[in-house]
Amino acid sequence: MAEEKGILTYKGHPLMRKDNLIYYGSMADSHIVMLQVLETKKVNDLDVATRVSVQLQLTDPSARSRDRVVKKSEKPGLYNALDVGCVWLERALAGK
């Protein structure tokens, strides 16, 4: 029996992970959030993020990579970083 592989979403936007990078949002939209895990610590044989970089980026392929970053910050922990990134993304997509 084949299981359907679904996409993980958070508050209506997709989450994609590649190694220590997490992309939040859709490339079809004007903005996405990139989360980069900078430091981790072991908690019961599990790596837990302790320092995360957050960047709100434009998805315009014609923009230079330096010009794509709209906002950036560093947060202590993945939840804090995702929380800030979610607010930034919602505001950017709403046009505020």
Side-chain angles (χ1 to χ4, degrees):
M1 186 174 198
E3 291 184 21
E4 185 177 326
K5 187 174 182 180
I7 295 176
L8 182 64
T9 60
Y10 178 71
K11 294 190 178 181
H13 297 287
L15 279 166
M16 297 293 213
R17 178 178 177 239
K18 173 72 172 139
D19 298 326
N20 66 338
L21 292 176
I22 301 169
Y23 293 97
Y24 177 59
S26 173
M27 290 301 286
D29 293 333
S30 61
H31 293 79
I32 61 162
V33 171
M34 184 184 80
L35 306 165
Q36 182 178 15
V37 177
L38 301 173
E39 289 180 359
T40 61
K41 71 176 183 179
K42 284 279 192 191
V43 176
N44 296 332
D45 298 329
L46 184 67
D47 286 329
V48 176
T50 56
R51 195 167 64 114
V52 181
S53 169
V54 185
Q55 291 184 358
L56 177 67
Q57 298 182 350
L58 292 169
T59 57
D60 183 11
S62 63
R64 294 187 318 192
S65 61
R66 185 181 310 154
D67 297 334
R68 287 185 189 163
V69 178
V70 178
K71 290 184 181 184
K72 63 183 177 179
S73 180
E74 236 178 67
K75 297 295 174 190
L78 186 59
Y79 177 78
N80 293 328
L82 189 56
D83 196 35
V84 167
C86 182
V87 171
W88 285 356
L89 185 62
E90 290 297 327
R91 288 181 181 172
L93 295 179
K96 293 183 180 179

